[in-house]
Amino acid sequence: MSTEQKKGHVVAFAFPFGSHPTPLLHLVQRLAAAAPGVNFSYFNTAESNQKVLPTADLKSYDNIKAYDVEDGAPKGYVFSGNPLERIELFVKSTPDNFRRRLEEVVGETGLKASCLLTDAFLWFSVDMAAELGIPWVAFWTAGPAPISLHMYTDVIHSRLGQNGAAQNQDQTLDFLPGLSAIHASDLPHELLHLDQPFSRLLYDMSLALPRATAVVLNSFAGIDPDVETDLKSKLKKILNVGPSPPPPGIDQDGCLSWLSSHAAASIAYISFGTMLTPPPPELLALAEALEEKQIPYLWSFRDDSKRQLLQRFFEKTESVGKVVEWAPQTRILAHPSVGVFVTHCGWNSVVESIMGGVPMICRPFFGDQMINRRRVQDVWWIGVGVEGGVFTKSGMMTALDVVMSGGEGKKMRENIGRLRECASRAVAENGSSTENFESLVDIVTSSSHQ
Ligand code: UDP
């Protein structure tokens, strides 16, 4: 079917930082395959598109086109190194950058937008969609607990005091449905301090989400039942369509055959997602603990500025360790030789670890990561946080003992097994995520006939 003959035009707006753009693109690909009669446009900054598109094999889809939008950085701008700077410049350039590009694309193709499917952070889409008379479908790339916390920002502020800064950081949020395990200290900075542009964006998002036609999550029914029930009362439609893992990555460094030469559940897989490397003293502590415990490891490590620090460790442990710049993570976590995942608790990593049946050692840094650690450690019992919240040699050795050799590790694997079954039921034929995905296809397709 040629572009002209297709009905409808779903326009996806990405938030171009961290792991946000990739899951949205995968969702677009799933939808484009399920609705071949609809055109899909994927808007993202040039810099992010350059990273994301080469891994996506868009050539196989004749109904997806990707476009660049401006990132808000003035020409020749020199960044200070603070990651928030890029975000703030980008946020300032919204919504005009998306609006302009959309007008150009509609002008070029003659295809009016029939549905906006955007990262939930890009809350201005609700007004843009209303102006165009089309639905706004918001895609939330994290888990149910963090979205619920954002919906309760005002309540949290009023209960925890000025800027949500509770006197007692151990105070739990037992006044919120399903969130009693969360401590004040787990709350992300941007939820507590609303004076920053990025915090404001998230607050505005929490006000806009109840107006969304649907909110889509890469999660599954049953993982956080009380939170899900409460969210249903606040949003028009909540669609868990996961777990929907990314396409299996290419194993260019032979990680899988390396894993296959090791005993079951013997390897520590270490990765801190797309944005993070722990600070130098923590990297050294983690390395010393692995060496002392003689745990073979596979480490996804790309930070050249910190590589020198670990060079001696990498050389000394060459016979038991493997270091790669990028690992095919979902395939690694599904490999029986992996015994523990040392993670920053990004949502995708947590879900992938559950699907792989691997317990976690958690060292969260920011955003939703502390919330995810709390769920892993105190609600689902499928991992442990590192003692004191940062890597120390002794804390890491204790965590490795707990997860890899103790009876607790066995219990964690059983608990993960139950969550994994729940996830597998959700994505099976007639499962809740499968049915939710069909509802999403309906929303996208029926809006295309307007
Ligand atoms: N990832 C990967 N290989 C790596 C490091 C990361 O495939 O070497 C993928 C991982 O599978 C996950 C994503 O990158 O899907 C990281 O997302 P997450 O939400 O865990 O963390 P973020 O990058 O947003 O902090």
Side-chain angles (χ1 to χ4, degrees), residues 305-370:
S305 69
K306 292 182 181 144
R307 186 175 291 274
Q308 190 53 35
L309 191 78
L310 291 179
Q311 202 52 41
R312 231 175 86 75
F313 163 74
F314 289 151
E315 281 163 15
K316 264 198 293 180
T317 56
E318 205 176 15
S319 60
V320 293
K322 187 168 175 69
V323 187
V324 294
E325 286 205 358
W326 187 256
Q329 183 164 300
T330 47
R331 297 169 75 189
I332 283 166
L333 289 168
H335 195 286
S337 297
V338 176
V340 63
F341 181 14
V342 182
T343 172
H344 68 309
C345 283
W347 178 246
N348 295 300
S349 292
V350 170
V351 172
E352 290 161 16
S353 209
I354 291 172
M355 291 315 283
V358 180
M360 285 158 262
I361 294 178
C362 309
R363 184 352 184 160
F365 289 83
F366 58 74
D368 62 332
Q369 297 160 11
M370 287 82 72

Side-chain angles (χ1 to χ4, degrees), residues 129-195:
E131 280 164 33
L132 296 169
I134 60 176
W136 175 43
V137 177
F139 180 46
W140 177 251
T141 59
I147 196 173
S148 183
L149 286 165
H150 282 292
M151 305 300 292
Y152 280 113
T153 304
D154 288 332
V155 177
I156 291 171
H157 282 227
S158 74
R159 294 294 288 257
L160 298 189
Q162 182 96 46
N163 281 338
Q167 293 292 321
N168 176 6
Q169 288 288 294
D170 280 335
Q171 182 175 339
T172 52
L173 274 59
D174 44 16
F175 48 90
L176 298 181
L179 297 168
S180 59
I182 306 290
H183 293 212
S185 57
D186 297 330
L187 294 171
H189 180 271
E190 54 276 11
L191 195 142
L192 296 176
H193 303 278
L194 298 184
D195 48 347

